[in-house]
Amino acid sequence: MSVLIKIDRYLRQTGMPTSKFGRLAVGDPRLVHDLRLGRQPRAPMVARIETFIERQGS
């Protein structure tokens, strides 16, 4: 499953705004917007995103 799908699922479940997610997960409020435009995150960033989602309990 792609990291963007995981993010979108998390955002739907929590109602968190995309900019807040990016800021809290990796310090980049444009993260989700950029991913939706085709940005390809490297493995360390994907790991940070997945760790953030797992720690939030979703």
Side-chain angles (χ1 to χ4, degrees):
M1 178 183 318
S2 79
V3 71
L4 185 54
I5 291 172
K6 292 178 184 179
I7 292 170
D8 283 336
R9 180 180 294 158
Y10 176 82
L11 294 175
R12 278 193 309 276
Q13 290 174 348
T14 63
M16 182 182 290
T18 59
S19 59
K20 183 175 182 179
F21 176 86
R23 194 176 314 108
L24 293 175
V26 298
D28 179 1
R30 291 187 49 89
L31 171 71
V32 178
H33 175 74
D34 291 347
L35 290 174
R36 288 178 177 159
L37 290 177
R39 177 178 171 184
Q40 296 296 314
R42 295 183 183 177
M45 181 175 286
V46 171
R48 287 174 60 194
I49 293 166
E50 291 175 341
T51 298
F52 174 81
I53 291 172
E54 290 168 9
R55 288 185 177 163
Q56 300 306 309
S58 291

